[in-house]
Amino acid sequence: MRTKILLLAFALLLGLFTLFQQLAASRDQAPSVLAALDTAPLPSTAQWSIGPFRIQWLAPSPQEAQLLIRHHDVPHLLWSSAPGKSFLAAGIGKEQVHESRGSFLIQDQLLLRCEQQSITAFHATPHSLTLYGRLTCPKAPHGPTHAPYQMRFQTQGTQRLTFSYTVQDPRFNRAFLLYQSSAEERFFGFGEQFTHVEMKGRKLPIFVMEQGIGRGVQPLSTAANLLAGKGVSGDWHTSYAGVPHYVTSKMRSLYLLNNEYSTFDMRPEEHVEISLFSRQIEGALLAGHDPLELIGLYTEYAGRMRPLPEWIHQGAIIGMQGGTQAVRKTLEDLKRHNTPVSAFWLQDWVGQRKTSFGKQLWWNWELDRDRYPQWEALVAELKQYGARVMTYINPFLVDMRHSDIAKNNKRFQRNLFKEAEAAGYLIRDHHNKPYLIPNTSFSAGLVDLSHPKARSWIKEVIKTQMLRIGSSGWMADFGEALPYDARLYTQETPSTYHNRYPEEWAQVNREAIQEAGRSDDIVFFTRAGYTRSPRFSTLFWLGDQLVTWDIQDGLKTAISGLLSGGFSGYSLNHSDIGGYTTITNPIRNYHRSKELMLRWIELNAFTAIFRTHEGNQPEKNHQFNSDPETLRHFSRFAKIYKAWNFYRSLLVMEASTRGWPIVRHLFLHYPHDPNTQRLEFLQFLIGSEILVAPVSDPGVQTKDVYLPQGQWVHLWTGRIYGHPHQGRWLRIHAPLGSPPVFYKRGSSIGERFYRLLLEQGLLESTHHAKP
């Protein structure tokens, strides 16, 4: 009898040992979704109709459990969890943030991640579905063992399904959402991305910041980090205008409503994971048939840009500095070539100062009448030529009591920094004093846009200091530098307000022109932006490209930025002709060459705005009027830019009503052509009718161009290329003065453009420019 009892006990112990082994092995596998871990079992199959959306729960076993979302009007799957894997996780993390001059290096230490997911209940209404459950955490001495959560899906209209995932325990500050993808699914969008347009296979952080100096270009990037601070050089993913939104080749689209730091990890072939510095993820799924429809749906939320006034389309915007006489001399040079000019952009209207970076401005927003005597007369002279005056502002203020004022002989009537400081309108540091943010050789205070009275005050500055002196527009610079540890009037967390700041800066500018009764006439252009920036900005520009050709920070990044931003509502956008960032260094100089200037002129003639910039070291750069040949080239392309204004005006209206960009990735009109999905910075469409393939490499006279299905007419020669039923690659002759431009055969838009160029003698450059 005793022997039988011992045998039974041994068998029981062996069974328990085997069970513990199985449980230990299961912890090494990918976390799985377990239905009803400690409650009554959930059904293995369930389906709910949430308005036009259909949500399915399929769980024949924990290893196969899956949540799927469809729409009754589109054939493809909108979203699905990965079979058998947890699609939610929570964590506790601590970030380390190093910031320098608007650049942020953010490293996250994840202290705890809870990812063993259970679903305990579903609750459905006609327009929503709520999931309840908990996440099991690894055993830790002092940490939580479980994280209860709630996830809610809700219809918003007929093509939008919002979702909200909340970890209910406030100790958690990280949330994760994981869902199915595939190796061939391609991801576009994410705001302005400068190195890559398509993001599958990459981990992309979204946080508004300086794009950086060099972004990997060597030896410049290493030198910038050593001299100016870690992270100043930027990286392939750093952007003034990152946006948590995408469109994929499978016609799926998702965006987040959160403002916190987020990352999209698209490196795995079979899934995507979104992580957020929050315990809540809010977003939406869109149901559309093609990428243009999805962009239209997205911009209903993000906002669409208002139409540009007609005056800005009439020619070039001449960006220059130097004072009244310098402007008059440049105007005479342009008159000799009958160059169409819409405006002179005089960013040094406030005066100019020399810094370690080159020529910068006095950030005290009042007219420098020593530099621009007879300002009113100059404005009138330019108006007679059909040109307006544009100026410059940013949300920083420099204390004009600073010791270098006397060295620069700068006179001033108002000290705006002192006014804002006295009224409490500047962001504060941890000592509750104005937070002085380093720029180059100086520091400046930043207007606290969370303060209602500060907003009203800076709007009055815009109206009295700029609009009143005849400015028809301005660069509304910066917006990306709110420090991670700042103190705001509203006590909001700066890490959350940071991405909102550029939206608020654009809104302040927009409200100022509305309050002045100039809503339809004034144009301001911004570089920093986030999700809702298109709702407020009247125009974007791509920021400070390096005066080089490269894909890290040069000419190619201007094309990439235009294409990627167009997916996220940045529909009216352009770059500085020739780039901006100029570096003089004993090891290597980065100065704008003549050839680069000529090719950048050709590029910008086929974008929304044709605007020059001298760069931060004008004397080191080749300018649009540095020699007669360049000026002739510039004048010709200013006329070409004006010639397609009839089409541009239509596209501007389309941007305001549908959210579609003027410059478009070929994928938008040829979404099922795998070749268009792989194109990065090589070429783009203007609307649907014109194809442009800018020459973006030095010393070349040919360009490889992909012509999608159909026949295309070469603009400069009238020759017909392409195949009516399939796409074709073509190597085309592309000397300076004749960049590859095509229009669809039979297109009334293209034919009209061709006729206008022919009538004006612009089809053939009588003297091709030489580098």
Side-chain angles (χ1 to χ4, degrees):
M1 185 69 177
R2 183 179 297 175
T3 303
K4 289 183 179 180
I5 293 172
L6 289 173
L7 287 172
L8 286 171
F10 178 76
L12 179 61
L13 287 171
L14 183 62
L16 288 172
F17 177 75
T18 304
L19 177 61
F20 284 132
Q21 276 191 318
Q22 291 172 345
L23 289 172
S26 70
R27 285 198 295 268
D28 296 330
Q29 298 172 359
S32 61
V33 182
L34 302 176
L37 185 67
D38 53 5
T39 63
L42 293 175
S44 60
T45 302
Q47 181 171 295
W48 301 270
S49 291
I50 310 298
F53 295 89
R54 187 170 74 253
I55 302 179
Q56 292 177 289
W57 168 251
L58 302 176
S61 70
Q63 290 73 35
E64 300 171 280
Q66 190 174 19
L67 194 69
L68 304 99
I69 302 176
R70 305 179 189 275
H71 188 277
H72 69 65
D73 195 38
V74 296
H76 56 272
L77 191 64
L78 297 185
W79 185 93
S80 67
S81 63
K85 290 187 177 180
S86 298
F87 55 89
L88 301 176
I92 298 174
K94 183 178 181 180
E95 67 266 39
Q96 291 184 332
V97 181
H98 179 83
E99 54 186 286
S100 178
R101 295 168 171 83
S103 295
F104 293 79
L105 187 61
I106 300 176
Q107 297 173 312
D108 192 31
Q109 181 183 7
L110 193 60
L111 305 175
L112 177 70
R113 179 177 170 117
C114 309
E115 56 185 359
Q116 189 71 35
Q117 180 188 358
S118 66
I119 299 174
T120 56
F122 294 94
H123 177 70
T125 73
H127 297 285
S128 70
L129 175 68
T130 305
L131 287 65
Y132 299 93
R134 69 180 185 180
L135 300 160
T136 302
C137 309
K139 289 185 178 179
H142 306 292
T145 59
H146 294 91
Y149 72 84
Q150 174 181 308
M151 187 170 193
R152 180 181 176 87
F153 296 96
Q154 186 168 357
T155 58
Q156 190 178 82
T158 59
Q159 294 177 271
R160 192 182 318 267
L161 184 70
T162 64
F163 59 86
S164 177
Y165 157 49
T166 304
V167 183
Q168 294 171 333
D169 188 335
R171 290 177 292 178
F172 289 88
N173 61 359
R174 300 290 185 269
F176 305 86
L177 175 64
L178 184 145
Y179 49 97
Q180 193 170 32
S181 181
S182 60
E184 67 275 8
E185 186 170 20
R186 300 184 180 276
F187 288 74
F188 304 94
F190 299 104
E192 292 175 357
Q193 297 298 324
F194 294 101
T195 301
H196 303 287
V197 178
E198 198 278 302
M199 292 295 171
K200 184 64 176 178
R202 311 182 198 283
K203 184 178 182 180
L204 178 65
I206 300 293
F207 194 73
V208 173
M209 67 176 78
E210 280 274 357
Q211 71 172 18
I213 300 174
R215 303 176 79 248
V217 172
Q218 297 298 349
L220 176 59
S221 292
T222 298
N225 288 333
L226 290 172
L227 296 173
K230 185 168 63 173
V232 167
S233 70
D235 209 332
W236 68 267
H237 53 76
T238 49
S239 172
Y240 298 110
V243 175
H245 158 258
Y246 63 74
V247 175
T248 84
S249 57
K250 291 185 178 292
M251 308 308 147
R252 301 196 275 210
S253 184
L254 177 150
Y255 64 87
L256 299 184
L257 282 68
N258 297 77
N259 297 312
E260 295 89 353
Y261 178 91
S262 62
T263 61
F264 289 74
D265 191 350
M266 296 157 283
R267 292 174 298 178
E269 289 188 354
E270 72 282 358
H271 69 258
V272 173
E273 183 176 77
I274 298 174
S275 62
L276 206 74
F277 280 13
S278 172
R279 63 186 177 94
Q280 184 176 51
I281 299 179
E282 294 184 285
L285 304 171
L286 300 174
H289 295 82
D290 57 62
L292 286 171
E293 184 180 9
L294 291 170
I295 290 172
L297 290 167
Y298 168 72
T299 55
E300 286 180 1
Y301 163 75
R304 293 168 181 162
M305 303 185 71
R306 58 137 232 218
L308 291 168
E310 189 58 31
W311 65 263
I312 205 167
H313 293 295
Q314 298 307 307
I317 298 175
I318 307 299
M320 65 170 296
Q321 304 180 68
T324 302
Q325 292 308 313
V327 173
R328 285 172 171 159
K329 181 182 182 303
T330 300
L331 178 61
E332 291 305 311
D333 291 341
L334 293 164
K335 283 180 177 179
R336 283 196 293 272
H337 293 273
N338 295 315
T339 310
V341 176
S342 63
F344 272 73
W345 171 49
L346 308 176
Q347 62 173 333
D348 66 338
W349 72 287
V350 292
Q352 190 181 81
R353 67 191 301 187
K354 291 184 178 180
T355 70
S356 60
F357 194 59
K359 293 182 178 179
Q360 293 183 269
L361 310 175
W362 286 109
W363 293 355
N364 186 64
W365 313 117
E366 67 174 22
L367 176 62
D368 185 343
R369 289 191 176 272
D370 292 335
R371 193 169 186 83
Y372 283 96
Q374 303 174 326
W375 172 269
E376 289 77 11
L378 179 63
V379 172
E381 290 171 32
L382 294 174
K383 186 177 180 181
Q384 287 182 342
Y385 189 65
R388 301 206 182 193
V389 171
M390 303 182 78
T391 52
Y392 174 97
I393 191 173
N394 67 50
F396 286 105
L397 299 169
V398 166
D399 189 351
M400 298 304 282
R401 296 168 294 186
H402 197 274
S403 60
D404 65 353
I405 299 294
K407 297 177 186 177
N408 287 271
N409 298 315
K410 169 67 178 167
R411 301 181 216 168
F412 57 93
Q413 300 299 315
R414 297 175 65 180
N415 186 339
L416 297 179
F417 177 95
K418 185 177 179 181
E419 292 179 26
E421 179 186 33
Y425 293 162
L426 301 174
I427 64 165
R428 301 275 167 167
D429 61 19
H430 64 281
H431 298 297
N432 205 34
K433 294 183 178 180
Y435 202 129
L436 296 180
I437 300 172
N439 186 265
T440 52
S441 305
F442 62 92
S443 297
L446 184 65
V447 177
D448 186 349
L449 298 182
S450 77
H451 195 318
K453 291 184 178 179
R455 294 171 72 99
S456 297
W457 177 80
I458 194 65
K459 285 191 285 186
E460 284 303 312
V461 168
I462 290 171
K463 288 182 278 188
T464 58
Q465 303 287 86
M466 299 170 70
L467 288 173
R468 190 173 292 175
I469 66 169
S471 178
S472 290
W474 50 83
M475 174 185 280
D477 204 358
F478 289 94
E480 67 286 321
L482 179 70
Y484 211 80
D485 59 347
R487 291 188 176 183
L488 299 169
Y489 173 79
T490 56
Q491 303 300 313
E492 292 181 65
T493 305
S495 59
T496 300
Y497 196 83
H498 175 91
N499 283 337
R500 278 183 54 199
Y501 192 95
E503 296 178 339
E504 301 294 336
W505 175 230
Q507 185 174 7
V508 161
N509 282 266
R510 184 68 171 270
E511 289 174 354
I513 64 176
Q514 288 172 338
E515 292 169 12
R518 303 288 297 278
S519 297
D520 299 326
D521 185 48
I522 302 298
V523 177
F524 66 90
F525 48 107
T526 55
R527 72 173 184 185
Y530 193 59
T531 303
R532 298 184 308 140
S533 292
R535 182 182 300 275
F536 306 116
S537 293
T538 63
L539 178 65
F540 292 101
W541 104 99
L542 293 163
D544 300 343
Q545 276 76 47
L546 193 64
V547 291
T548 56
W549 302 85
D550 58 79
I551 189 54
Q552 288 100 332
D553 201 17
L555 169 62
K556 293 181 179 68
T557 67
I559 305 171
S560 298
L562 286 171
L563 293 174
S564 59
F567 284 91
S568 298
Y570 287 60
S571 54
L572 308 177
N573 207 346
H574 70 296
S575 66
D576 298 326
I577 294 177
Y580 168 79
T581 303
T582 311
I583 304 294
T584 301
N585 187 278
I587 298 176
R588 181 178 174 182
N589 291 329
Y590 297 85
H591 297 164
R592 183 193 296 157
S593 69
K594 179 177 178 178
E595 184 183 9
L596 180 71
M597 186 65 181
L598 296 172
R599 288 302 195 187
W600 216 311
I601 286 169
E602 294 174 0
L603 162 64
N604 272 34
F606 297 97
T607 64
I609 298 294
F610 190 63
R611 178 183 58 82
T612 68
H613 199 309
E614 293 180 320
N616 58 298
Q617 296 180 22
E619 69 282 356
K620 303 295 185 181
N621 288 329
H622 195 85
Q623 304 294 347
F624 76 92
N625 56 351
S626 287
D627 60 38
E629 190 172 47
T630 306
L631 183 55
R632 284 195 298 271
H633 186 83
F634 176 79
S635 179
R636 174 172 174 251
F637 276 91
K639 295 169 185 174
I640 291 169
Y641 168 80
K642 184 178 180 180
W644 67 278
N645 180 36
F646 73 95
Y647 186 36
R648 191 163 54 249
S649 297
L650 296 175
L651 296 177
V652 165
M653 292 304 299
E654 205 166 57
S656 70
T657 56
R658 298 186 175 186
W660 296 354
I662 288 181
V663 170
R664 299 176 188 173
H665 196 289
L666 271 67
F667 169 70
L668 295 183
H669 287 280
Y670 302 92
H672 303 295
D673 182 340
N675 288 308
T676 68
Q677 297 174 17
R678 288 190 286 266
L679 292 172
E680 289 265 344
F681 54 83
L682 297 174
Q683 57 193 75
F684 57 83
L685 292 168
I686 301 174
S688 61
E689 303 302 293
I690 298 173
L691 186 150
V692 183
V695 175
S696 55
D697 290 296
V700 300
Q701 299 287 308
T702 60
K703 174 80 174 188
D704 290 333
V705 182
Y706 182 72
L707 298 177
Q709 175 183 337
Q711 292 188 305
W712 297 82
V713 182
H714 185 231
L715 180 65
W716 313 114
T717 64
R719 294 175 184 165
I720 299 171
Y721 297 92
H723 189 282
H725 305 301
Q726 61 186 30
R728 288 280 177 87
W729 282 96
L730 168 72
R731 178 162 291 181
I732 191 81
H733 187 50
L736 283 161
S738 299
V741 181
F742 301 82
Y743 62 87
K744 286 182 178 179
R745 186 180 187 184
S747 166
S748 59
I749 296 292
E751 290 171 354
R752 181 178 175 184
F753 186 28
Y754 179 86
R755 286 196 306 271
L756 287 170
L757 297 184
L758 183 64
E759 291 166 4
Q760 297 176 39
L762 297 171
L763 281 176
E764 288 291 338
S765 178
T766 56
H767 177 72
H768 283 302
K770 296 179 181 179

